Amino acid sequence: MRVSINDIKEMKAKGEKIPMLTAYDYTSAKLVDAAGVPIILVGDSLGMVVLGYENTIPVTIEEMLHHTRAVVRGAQHALIVGDMPFMTYQASTEDAMRNAGRFLKEAGCQAVKLEGGETMAHTVEHLVRVGIPVQGHIGMTPQSANQFGGHKLQGRRADVAVQIIKDAIALEEAGVFSIVLELVPAPLAKIVTERVKVPVIGIGAGPHCDGQVQIFHDLLGTYTDFVPRHAKQYATLATTIKDAITTYSQEIKNGTFPTMKHSFTMDESVLAEVVASAP
Ligand code: KIV
């Protein structure tokens, strides 16, 4: 059975830590699902790690829906959250409803994530009221990186820290089933996690959160442009992949691949007929 938003909320109530990981295609989703990760986020980070954009701003809803559909085909058990890209929910509640609805109807995921705290609470309330589960995202929200002057830690200043706590409370009151808290000091993340009943899933927010989320490519070491300080590489697959491709290329050049093991035979009499009648 697929994990539900209630299962995720219960994990916090039981003091069970919540792993969450991004995936962007069928194959990666299948692997994450098989590993038993209960939440898969189809993050708009795919703009950087899959599509090669500089940041998440250019990502379109069509790109997100395309990748979310693939993840839905690959993962049978995890709760799948589709990340609403920049300017698909900020301009109006109607935009937010229409676009969030597309994630559930056209891509088949079970929830959406959107960035923003107090300012987005009204929108979240509307989405939840019509039956769309929402995950909030506060702290350093990448779609506002231009406003922050880059992907910078948020909440070292008292006023900013207090605002982040208020954002979490506003989202909880609006009905989110969980909150992603990104790039804030660990002691602030601890306060936020204790202050709300819904699970707080950290990234670059220290060990006190109810769960953690990481980017698939960071965890496996396949994205080499930049490795964030908060990422832990559990493998360095970029080297493994590059070595395998180099060997493949060399084997073609020196005739080691393919062998007859990778080829198909033909009936001798048919072959003789082809040779005799070939132009
Ligand atoms: O897009 C994404 O992958 C995210 C994570 C950083 C939480 O929003």
Side-chain angles (χ1 to χ4, degrees):
M1 244 191 19
R2 195 179 284 285
V3 174
S4 72
I5 61 165
N6 292 336
D7 296 327
I8 298 301
K9 288 197 264 188
E10 244 172 61
M11 286 173 84
K12 173 162 185 161
K14 289 186 199 151
E16 214 179 302
K17 290 277 187 183
I18 307 164
M20 169 165 148
L21 187 60
T22 67
Y24 312 104
D25 60 28
Y26 173 81
T27 302
S28 59
K30 227 176 147 176
L31 292 169
V32 177
D33 208 35
V37 172
I39 315 184
I40 296 182
L41 170 68
V42 189
D44 63 353
S45 50
L46 69 80
M48 292 150 94
V49 299
V50 176
L51 302 176
Y53 298 146
E54 203 177 311
N55 52 45
T56 58
I57 305 293
V59 177
T60 67
I61 187 152
E62 299 306 334
E63 287 165 341
M64 288 306 303
L65 294 174
H66 172 78
H67 286 273
T68 305
R69 278 192 284 267
V71 168
V72 168
R73 287 191 288 270
Q76 313 300 318
H77 305 292
L79 176 81
I80 302 169
V81 181
D83 208 1
M84 297 190 69
F86 185 55
M87 289 318 291
T88 61
Y89 57 95
Q90 291 95 336
S92 70
T93 311
E94 289 72 26
D95 267 6
M97 296 262 231
R98 201 172 307 112
N99 290 318
R102 291 190 71 190
F103 272 91
L104 269 65
K105 274 174 78 82
E106 296 176 34
C109 61
Q110 291 80 45
V112 297
K113 176 170 84 55
L114 55 81
E115 298 182 6
E118 268 185 340
T119 51
M120 293 313 301
H122 179 70
T123 302
V124 170
E125 214 175 302
H126 272 76
L127 294 178
V128 172
R129 210 179 289 154
V130 298
I132 301 174
V134 181
Q135 183 171 59
H137 185 162
I138 55 174
M140 196 292 291
T141 43
Q143 291 171 13
S144 305
N146 288 318
Q147 187 72 28
F148 298 140
H151 293 87
K152 298 212 170 104
L153 185 85
Q154 299 295 305
R156 270 213 180 112
R157 259 182 27 213
D159 58 335
V160 179
V162 169
Q163 183 55 53
I164 290 170
I165 298 167
K166 283 184 184 166
D167 285 339
I169 294 168
L171 288 177
E172 174 168 58
E173 285 172 355
V176 295
F177 75 91
S178 68
I179 297 170
V180 168
L181 180 58
E182 180 162 0
L183 264 191
V184 302
L188 172 61
K190 184 169 187 290
I191 297 171
V192 172
T193 304
E194 288 167 358
R195 185 65 186 76
V196 293
K197 286 200 178 66
V198 292
V200 174
I201 317 276
I203 175 164
H208 308 296
C209 298
D210 301 304
Q212 298 292 328
V213 55
Q214 288 284 297
I215 307 287
F216 184 86
H217 294 59
D218 289 341
L219 187 127
L220 296 174
T222 53
Y223 181 73
T224 51
D225 290 8
F226 171 68
V227 182
R229 171 174 158 182
H230 60 258
K232 178 170 174 185
Q233 288 191 329
Y234 287 81
T236 47
L237 293 191
T239 312
T240 310
I241 293 169
K242 195 165 97 351
D243 289 351
I245 296 169
T246 306
T247 307
Y248 162 73
S249 174
Q250 281 165 351
E251 287 197 357
I252 290 173
K253 285 185 185 158
N254 65 26
T256 319
F257 176 83
T259 63
M260 280 316 289
K261 195 179 136 209
H262 311 102
S263 310
F264 304 89
T265 56
M266 194 173 171
D267 190 274
E268 287 296 333
S269 62
V270 176
L271 184 59
E273 198 183 320
V274 172
V275 171
S277 55

